[in-house]
């Protein structure tokens, strides 16, 4: 194998210190980040949380009673479909 130094002349100078260009410094603000949630999103969330809470509570009760029997084939299918 032969390595010629002329091939390396045009490589980017990755390890050299970058020089700052005037006027390209990022501006920093002291404002905190904000998140806004639309009224439609709030409405959809409130609709889903009540039904979801009921389902979670019924599953919790079935587990405590010992009556919860998950289907192993369905679980395996869900893993394979990821």
């Amino acid at each position: 194998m032969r390595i010629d130094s002329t091939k390396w002349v045009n490589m980017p100078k990755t390890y050299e210190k970058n020089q700052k260009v005037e006027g390209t410094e990022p501006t920093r603000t002291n404002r905190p980040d904000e998140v806004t949630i639309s009224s439609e999103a709030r409405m959809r969330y409130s609709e889903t949380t009540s039904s979801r809470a009921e389902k979670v509570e019924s599953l919790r009760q079935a587990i405590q009673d010992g009556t919860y029997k998950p289907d192993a084939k369905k679980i395996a299918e869900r893993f394979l479909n990821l």
Side-chain angles (χ1 to χ4, degrees):
M1 179 169 124
R2 182 175 169 191
I3 300 175
D4 293 331
S5 63
T6 57
K7 292 182 180 180
W8 301 101
V9 173
N10 295 325
M11 276 189 69
K13 299 179 181 179
T14 308
Y15 298 105
E16 289 186 11
K17 186 176 179 180
N18 294 333
Q19 296 179 358
K20 291 184 180 181
V21 177
E22 189 174 329
T24 60
E25 293 83 22
T27 57
R28 296 180 186 234
T29 60
N30 290 333
R31 293 184 311 166
D33 294 337
E34 290 183 12
V35 174
T36 56
I37 301 172
S38 68
S39 57
E40 182 182 353
R42 289 177 195 263
M43 183 180 68
R44 288 185 181 205
Y45 176 75
S46 65
E47 290 173 357
T48 58
T49 55
S50 62
S51 63
R52 197 77 177 145
E54 293 169 4
K55 184 176 181 178
V56 168
E57 187 56 40
S58 68
L59 285 171
R60 182 178 289 134
Q61 189 63 40
I63 292 169
Q64 287 178 350
D65 295 343
T67 58
Y68 178 68
K69 303 289 184 206
D71 186 5
K73 284 188 176 187
K74 285 185 180 180
I75 294 171
E77 287 174 3
R78 296 286 301 264
F79 272 110
L80 293 174
N81 289 331
L82 290 177

